[in-house]
Amino acid sequence: MSEYPSIIHNILQLVDLNEQEIEFITSRLVFTTLKKKEFLLREGEVCKYKNYIVKGCLVMYYIDEQGRERVIHLADRDHWANDLYSYFTGKPASFFFQALEDAEVLQLSRPDLDAIFANIPKMERFFRIRYQNSLVIQQHRIIQNQFETAEQKYQEFRLKYPDLEQRIPLKYIASYLGITQQFLSVLRANF
C-alpha cells in the first residue's frame, strides 16, 4: 500500500483515497527523526511544516514571564502538530516543539499541501475535519482548565494518554494539567 502506513491510515479514517492519490500524498512528505530533547521548532522561527507524529511524543510549550515552560499540547504518535498561526502566515512561531523521546515525524510544507489540495480536493475535507476536531478539543481544554478539578483533569488525561505517564517526564504532564509536579505526585498516589 504505502511506505507510510500510519499516516495513510489516519487519512483513510476520514476520506477515501485510491492508490495514485496515496502515492501523490506520500511523494510530498518529508521524513525526519528527532532525538530526545531535540527541537522541531523554536519560538521565533517560522513553522514551515505540518507535522504528523509517526513515533514518539512531542511537547508544545511557551515560556512565561517567569521563565517557566507552559505546556499547551502533547503530540503523541498518530497526531498532527504545528504552530498553525506561523504555518499559515509565515510569521515567527510563538511556541517551542521539542521531542520528549526519540521521534519520527512526517512533514508537509505549505506548497506541498497546496499541491495536494489542487490535485486531491477531498484532502481539503480531511484537513477541515481535523481543524474542526482541534477546535473542539481546544474549547474543551479551556472549559476543563476553568471549571474542572485537578482530579478530573488527571483522570481525563489518563484516559486520553494511557501510557504517557510511563514515557515522559512528569513535569510536562503537570504543566499540561496546570498543576505543580508535587500535586501531581499526590494525585498519582491516590489512583
Side-chain angles (χ1 to χ4, degrees):
M1 176 163 137
S2 167
E3 59 187 300
Y4 302 111
S6 64
I7 194 170
I8 297 306
H9 176 73
N10 183 275
I11 295 168
L12 291 174
Q13 290 176 2
L14 299 177
V15 295
D16 291 325
L17 297 173
N18 63 40
E19 198 59 40
Q20 292 86 3
E21 291 167 333
I22 291 170
E23 287 177 26
F24 187 83
I25 291 167
T26 57
S27 73
R28 302 293 190 198
L29 297 169
V30 175
F31 180 80
T32 189
T33 59
L34 298 168
K35 294 290 183 196
K36 183 177 180 176
K37 297 188 179 184
E38 190 175 349
F39 286 92
L40 183 65
L41 179 72
R42 294 177 193 263
E43 177 186 30
E45 297 175 348
V46 174
C47 182
K48 296 179 182 175
Y49 300 99
K50 292 186 82 42
N51 300 289
Y52 174 81
I53 315 306
V54 176
K55 177 184 169 196
C57 181
L58 275 63
V59 62
M60 176 184 182
Y61 66 90
Y62 71 94
I63 308 288
D64 71 11
E65 301 81 26
Q66 289 78 38
R68 294 180 299 221
E69 294 176 0
R70 298 295 186 164
V71 175
I72 301 298
H73 182 60
L74 294 167
D76 201 8
R77 59 186 164 256
D78 199 33
H79 284 88
W80 293 85
N82 68 317
D83 185 317
L84 286 174
Y85 174 78
S86 179
Y87 182 75
F88 286 117
T89 65
K91 295 187 177 176
S94 302
F95 304 104
F96 295 86
F97 277 92
Q98 186 177 22
L100 295 179
E101 54 192 359
D102 290 349
E104 295 176 358
V105 179
L106 292 172
Q107 298 184 304
L108 186 59
S109 71
R110 183 72 192 274
D112 284 327
L113 179 63
D114 290 340
I116 288 171
F117 288 164
N119 287 282
I120 310 169
K122 59 187 153 189
M123 286 301 294
E124 287 187 302
R125 180 177 187 275
F126 170 79
F127 280 106
R128 177 185 50 80
I129 292 169
R130 286 284 174 210
Y131 293 140
Q132 288 172 337
N133 291 343
S134 293
L135 286 171
V136 168
I137 291 167
Q138 291 304 318
Q139 285 181 338
H140 179 73
R141 287 250 313 137
I142 291 167
I143 291 168
Q144 183 185 49
N145 287 336
Q146 297 262 331
F147 302 109
E148 290 184 5
T149 66
E151 291 85 358
Q152 290 169 318
K153 289 190 277 188
Y154 179 61
Q155 280 182 312
E156 194 168 322
F157 173 84
R158 291 183 70 194
L159 289 173
K160 184 176 179 180
Y161 301 107
D163 69 334
L164 217 47
E165 282 183 280
Q166 290 73 44
R167 294 174 34 214
I168 67 171
L170 293 180
K171 73 176 191 172
Y172 295 105
I173 296 169
S175 179
Y176 178 80
L177 296 174
I179 60 177
T180 65
Q181 194 171 341
Q182 294 78 13
F183 190 61
L184 177 58
S185 294
V186 170
L187 284 176
R188 292 180 76 214
N190 291 330
F191 280 89

